[in-house]
Amino acid sequence: MRRIAITRDVSPAITRCELTHLQRAPIDLEIARSQHRAYEKELERLGWSLLRLPVEPDLPDSVFVEDAAIVLDEVAVITRPGAPSRRPETAAVAEALRPYRLLLTIEEPGTMDGGDVLRIDRDLYIGVSRRTNEAAVEQMKRALARFGYRVTGIEVSECLHLKSAVTLVDQETILINPRWVIPGFFQGVRVIETDPGEPYAANGLLLGRRILYPTAFPRTRERLTGGGIRIVDIDMSELAKAEGAVTCCSILFEG
Ligand code: GLY
């Protein structure tokens, strides 16, 4: 079994990306691409084989592949992204996953972005957000019960996705912005809270025994290292202007 990371280069259309909670700021395509390349190199250095999808010149948010699919050990779920502009992104992701997993799909009226799905062992927490609705949560419950997954919806209103507010940073620890999601919701895990001055700091990408983590959040970084979390630093500042974070830029699985 190889550890595989699906990625896709930054679209030249990224300047027209969806924005929900941020004001539009100029995005330098070359800087965004070089930060994305650095991200891919870190994945490779940490043992992941890249499965790079062709760039999508007309799909502004297509670098954020995470939103197109959830890959579990037994099955993959191809999403139906909440923003209509993002729905065409799923086709190439589905084709890339087809050799590795049985594919299920979220169907209308369901909408779901992968950024709203947090897996902790056999629990899938799904943010009910502007992008993901209750119909999709119900579809996930029905589709995944037979594989032994518990699916729970969580209201998310203050940020784009559930994983803007909470991510897993080791097998028993979550990093959370408690102003956006209530920590008590997650039972049986250790909790590290983001620094109050760094609201966007809750998104880290767990890669084995360390996390890939943005350099933009030094105070939360101190809390993480103080809690024994090992960090690989990455500058994602240009992609952050497109409301993207570290989990958004890859789909990780074994295959
Ligand atoms: N720009 C990322 C998103 O809104 O989906």
Side-chain angles (χ1 to χ4, degrees):
M1 293 284 255
R2 283 184 313 152
R3 292 191 289 174
I4 298 173
I6 295 180
T7 62
R8 176 156 49 199
D9 199 1
V10 183
S11 171
I14 194 166
T15 48
R16 294 186 274 114
C17 69
E18 297 283 338
L19 287 176
T20 308
H21 294 276
L22 294 183
Q23 294 293 317
R24 198 165 294 281
I27 296 175
D28 184 312
L29 180 61
E30 286 321 307
I31 297 174
R33 284 192 160 155
S34 94
Q35 289 179 352
H36 184 257
R37 189 67 199 126
Y39 173 96
E40 290 181 320
K41 281 194 174 139
E42 288 298 349
L43 291 178
E44 284 184 304
R45 192 175 67 78
L46 295 169
W48 299 79
S49 301
L50 295 185
L51 201 172
R52 302 181 83 218
L53 304 179
V55 68
E56 294 278 8
D58 298 320
L59 297 179
D61 286 293
S62 51
V63 63
F64 302 127
V65 287
E66 166 183 63
D67 291 313
I70 306 302
V71 184
L72 303 169
D73 296 342
E74 306 84 354
V75 72
V77 181
I78 306 302
T79 66
R80 182 167 180 268
S85 71
R86 301 202 56 189
R87 293 198 185 135
E89 293 175 27
T90 59
V93 172
E95 284 322 301
L97 286 169
R98 199 176 296 284
Y100 299 99
R101 293 290 189 280
L102 170 70
L103 300 185
L104 307 178
T105 48
I106 296 295
E107 304 291 347
E108 200 175 356
T111 64
M112 188 173 85
D113 284 10
D116 272 317
V117 182
L118 174 67
R119 178 181 171 188
I120 302 179
D121 197 16
R122 304 306 282 185
D123 279 299
L124 294 182
Y125 297 98
I126 304 187
V128 178
S129 67
R130 290 202 195 188
R131 298 290 176 83
T132 299
N133 62 19
E134 293 280 5
V137 174
E138 286 310 310
Q139 289 179 32
M140 290 287 277
K141 276 185 188 161
R142 279 200 301 274
L144 299 177
R146 68 186 149 125
F147 300 110
Y149 291 97
R150 279 180 302 267
V151 173
T152 310
I154 308 182
E155 207 66 42
V156 171
S157 57
E158 304 291 318
C159 54
L160 180 58
H161 289 132
L162 177 63
K163 280 190 282 193
S164 315
V166 56
T167 53
L168 196 64
V169 291
D170 70 21
Q171 288 312 323
E172 58 201 30
T173 309
I174 55 171
L175 172 64
I176 191 165
N177 176 341
R179 287 152 288 274
W180 288 350
V181 173
I182 299 164
F185 202 92
F186 304 92
Q187 296 298 314
V189 287
R190 182 169 72 116
V191 173
I192 297 177
E193 295 189 358
T194 54
D195 183 275
E198 297 177 339
Y200 290 93
N203 190 275
L205 178 63
L206 183 58
L207 297 164
R209 293 201 207 131
R210 60 199 83 200
I211 60 166
L212 202 55
Y213 191 69
T215 48
F217 309 115
R219 295 201 293 274
T220 302
R221 187 187 192 285
E222 257 180 48
R223 292 182 177 210
L224 286 163
T225 53
I229 304 299
R230 293 167 64 193
I231 290 180
V232 175
D233 295 301
I234 188 90
D235 182 0
M236 297 287 278
S237 51
E238 215 58 25
L239 291 168
K241 294 179 189 170
E243 234 168 336
V246 282
T247 63
C248 310
C249 295
S250 56
I251 299 171
L252 306 176
F253 61 98
E254 294 197 349

